[in-house]
Structure formats: C-alpha cells, structure tokens
Amino acid sequence: MVKEFLYEDRAGLFAALASDCQAHLAKALADRGATTFMVSGGSTPAPLFEALSLSDLDWNNINVALVDERWVDKEHSASNEALIYRSLLINNAAKAPFTGMKTAAKSAAEGCAETESLYQALPKPFAISILGMGNDGHTASLFPHANGLAEALSEDNQQLTAPIAAKQSDVTGPNTERLTLTLNGLLQSERLIILLTGEEKLAVFRKAMTEGPVEDMPVRAVLRQNKVPVELYWAP
C-alpha cells in the first residue's frame, strides 16, 4: 500500500515534508544515536534540502549518502554530489558526514566494489530514502531495460549498490553510466518517499501503479514490494 500526500501547492508540500523528515530523523537519532539519510539529485528536492539544512538536528550523526549517481566527477554539472553540497550540506547541515558514490575508478562497474564497502559501513536501517521518478518510470538510476537492471532488482542480490548502463534517451541525457542503490539497498530504509511535482509526473505515477512489466517502469519494483512503507508526496 502506498500512502499519498497530495498538496495544493509546492510551498505547502515542501513545508510539510521538511517537517516530517526532520521529525523522523530526530527520532532515528534518539533511537540509535546515528542514522543515514539517503538523498536524490535533480532539481525537485532542492527546496526540501534547503529547508532541512536549517533544522536544528544533530547533523554530526546524520550520514548523508546518495541514492544514485552519474559516473561523472563532482565538478561536472550533472553531478548529484555537487547538487547535494549546494542544496543540503550547507547551514547547520554542513556538519553532516557525506558518502558519495563516484570513485576514481574509470567506470561504475570498476568502482562499485569500493562504493559498496563504504555503503555497507553506513548506519542501518537508513532512516529515509528520498526518491524521484522520471517520465519513463525510472527511479534512482533503475532505468527501463537498462544493462544491469535485472541484477539490480533481483531479490537474490544482497548488494546495496549496482552499476547501470542506461539506454540513452531524453530522460538520461548523455550520462548513461550510473551507480545506483539496488532494490535490496532501497529496502534497507525505514521509509521510502517518492517526491514528485507536476501533473505529468502524477500521470506517470498512476500508470506505474497499474499492471505491467517492471522492466518497462522500474519504479514498479518499489511500489509492489511490501517490506518498506512507500509514500508519495506531490504538488502541482
């Protein structure tokens, strides 16, 4: 079951979600002393991250890590790591430890083992994973019919991370080589929050909720699992 929180405007959406995330992160800290906050790139979550950066949380013990990353250097305009440094790891949250996915390896496949080791060391369960969704039905870097998709979604795959070679499209842009959390990695979260804006994205989400192959819309793997609560936060 997916819980839906639909707002009339984006200001209301981000205010509510920031308050919700702050409360859950505070509870995770109280329960375990340290926790992990998994975050996505893209422009949509930036207002959420900027609001959270002002929160009076014990950021020293909130490990921030990426849900996925393009295999580009952090100086690249497409780097999710760079976006997180600009939008979240500022103000009070500048103290948060950060774990990126991109390594010095030439490829995501070659760098995955190093990133996997870093991710295995993060405090678990992850408190929250913030996910987006593309118009093609991808989430994280789990792209339709991508090379590596089946392995990344396999219930037998106990790895937290996996390399993905997406099929180039208007959604992927030129940066098709990615590293992503696997389905198993996503299911290490206490909560999976899908953050969307706009009527077009809501229509894609509604389609993903219907029957159809996971390979066509990989977000379905997240929506159909019953181990971790999934929440949709949306505004026009």
Side-chain angles (χ1 to χ4, degrees), residues 89-129:
L89 300 176
I90 55 176
N91 303 316
N92 294 338
K95 298 176 288 187
F98 175 76
T99 302
M101 282 189 154
K102 174 68 168 62
T103 72
K106 291 183 179 180
S107 68
E110 293 172 342
C112 186
E114 180 180 346
T115 304
E116 178 71 18
S117 179
L118 294 172
Y119 272 55
Q120 288 287 353
L122 291 168
K124 299 179 190 66
F126 307 144
I128 303 169
S129 288

Side-chain angles (χ1 to χ4, degrees), residues 43 45 86 96 104 132 190 200 214:
S43 59
R86 290 195 305 269
E190 290 182 309
E200 186 177 3
V214 169

Side-chain angles (χ1 to χ4, degrees), residues 38 67 124-129 131 139-140 142 152-161 180-193 219-230:
M38 286 288 178
V67 165
K124 299 179 190 66
F126 307 144
I128 303 169
S129 288
L131 296 172
T139 192
L142 301 166
L153 294 180
S154 172
E155 294 181 2
D156 297 327
N157 186 357
Q158 295 304 303
Q159 296 282 105
L160 300 177
T161 61
T180 185
L181 285 182
T182 61
L183 180 59
N184 173 63
L186 291 171
L187 296 184
Q188 304 304 310
S189 309
E190 290 182 309
R191 296 170 63 185
L192 293 167
I193 294 175
V219 71
R220 285 172 169 153
V222 174
L223 300 175
R224 292 174 181 176
Q225 58 78 32
N226 57 14
K227 296 180 179 179
V228 179
V230 179

Side-chain angles (χ1 to χ4, degrees), residues 20-34:
D20 187 10
C21 288
Q22 181 178 352
H24 190 81
L25 289 168
K27 183 179 185 302
L29 288 169
D31 289 346
R32 298 186 290 277

Side-chain angles (χ1 to χ4, degrees), residues 38-100:
M38 286 288 178
V39 295
S40 292
S43 59
T44 301
L48 167 67
F49 296 154
E50 290 163 4
L52 280 174
S53 77
L54 297 168
S55 299
D56 186 22
L57 290 164
D58 180 13
W59 285 103
N60 288 302
N61 288 303
I62 299 175
N63 292 264
V64 175
L66 291 170
V67 165
D68 70 318
E69 180 64 285
R70 300 171 182 87
W71 207 251
V72 297
D73 292 333
K74 61 184 178 182
E75 293 80 17
H76 196 285
S77 60
S79 167
N80 286 339
E81 178 174 338
L83 183 140
I84 297 305
Y85 268 100
R86 290 195 305 269
S87 61
L88 176 59
L89 300 176
I90 55 176
N91 303 316
N92 294 338
K95 298 176 288 187
F98 175 76
T99 302

